[in-house]
Amino acid sequence: GIEVSFTVTNSAVAAADVGGIPEVMRPEHGVMFQSGSRTALVQAVSSMVKDREQLARMGQAGRKFVLESGWSWAAHAEKTLALYRTLL
């Protein structure tokens, strides 16, 4: 998912509270906001950029979490291809 994609690149995440995101999103990786609320999105991003050191820590913590979980671009691509093959 998008949270994993951004996190593996050492970026903090502002993520909407939809789908499976609430199950994998951790406060130390970024900020979750209410889906469909522009105000909540603006508040989430604003809170993140106010503290650049915290922003960097969030990115580093997220990357560490994802890499320790065994996630990789190659594995992600293979799973996506396998799903596509089942749909063809």
Side-chain angles (χ1 to χ4, degrees):
I2 194 73
E3 196 264 345
V4 171
S5 299
F6 278 103
T7 303
V8 79
T9 63
N10 214 37
S11 302
V13 177
D17 59 355
V18 296
I21 293 174
E23 285 78 33
V24 297
M25 181 74 176
R26 303 287 181 267
E28 61 269 21
H29 306 156
V31 179
M32 193 167 334
F33 62 91
Q34 181 182 359
S35 176
S37 172
R38 290 184 181 125
T39 302
L41 172 59
V42 169
Q43 290 172 343
V45 172
S46 295
S47 73
M48 291 169 68
V49 298
K50 285 181 183 175
D51 186 346
R52 297 289 180 163
E53 290 178 9
Q54 176 67 16
L55 190 65
R57 284 191 299 273
M58 286 176 169
Q60 292 164 359
R63 179 174 171 78
K64 181 180 177 189
F65 173 79
V66 170
L67 294 178
E68 287 176 353
S69 74
W71 189 92
S72 71
W73 286 110
H76 179 69
E78 192 55 46
K79 287 179 184 177
T80 302
L81 285 172
L83 173 64
Y84 290 164
R85 287 183 187 114
T86 65
L87 299 173
L88 295 177

